[in-house]
Amino acid sequence: MPRAAPAIVAAETFTRAAQPVLPVGDGLVLRPWLRRDGPEVYAAFQDPAIRRWHVRTADTVEEAGDWVDSWARSWTSGTAANWAVADSHTGHLMGRASLHHMELWHGEAEIAYWVVPAARGRGIAPRAVDALVGWAFEVAGFHRLELRHSVYNAQSCRVAHKSGFVLEGINRSAGLHADGWHDMHLHARLAHRAERAIAHAVPEVATQPVYRLRR
């Protein structure tokens, strides 16, 4: 059945264009994944925190290389947008920043990220997320971005707040981790045009008269 309106985000953004390199600042970039990143991804997933919150293990370098290949291919299929957070001079891996669960028709996607242990404490995650959010809203044209994490993941919660994601609520028992089901914080950001529309609409709603039903 044909849709009555066009997609908010054009599929051609991914299927007909090369994945861009996004500047992060302070000598970092978001760049497309390369097969040679496999060993560094394998090393990152030996970290207990990355394994815990991403519920995934890499048993071999070859397996991590296959992940990297799939992350790179997801761009042209328009199913996800995965970037390596890398040193702009050496190319060494610092982390990952991604858009997944993309719904192009609705202009919605979910943010995901991690930082290698040696690079933590430098504010890399919030800056990488900011760069990704800027591209998603200003270039790709997304309307809404969500960010979910376990309620026990305080570090990820701080990244969400630093990156301007508003806590909207808790999804109960929504994330399966190694130790069972976790409640998940749901944060979100809207494109600036949507945020402005909401800001202008609130005073108008607040000034409407309230009618009480007579019993």
Side-chain angles (χ1 to χ4, degrees), residues 150-152 171-184:
S150 166
V151 296
Y152 301 113
N171 299 144
R172 294 179 301 159
S173 193
L176 182 58
H177 291 67
D179 58 349
W181 290 96
H182 286 208
D183 291 351
M184 305 290 284

Side-chain angles (χ1 to χ4, degrees), residues 97-112:
S98 303
L99 294 174
H100 61 162
H101 299 157
M102 296 197 312
E103 294 284 350
L104 302 186
W105 280 101
H106 297 102
E108 297 177 354
E110 188 171 332
I111 294 275

Side-chain angles (χ1 to χ4, degrees), residues 136-160:
F137 283 149
E138 297 166 17
V139 178
F142 280 89
H143 169 73
R144 175 183 167 91
L145 299 176
E146 296 183 344
L147 191 162
R148 288 181 172 84
H149 63 80
S150 166
V151 296
Y152 301 113
N153 190 344
Q155 185 176 24
S156 195
C157 202
R158 287 193 292 271
V159 171

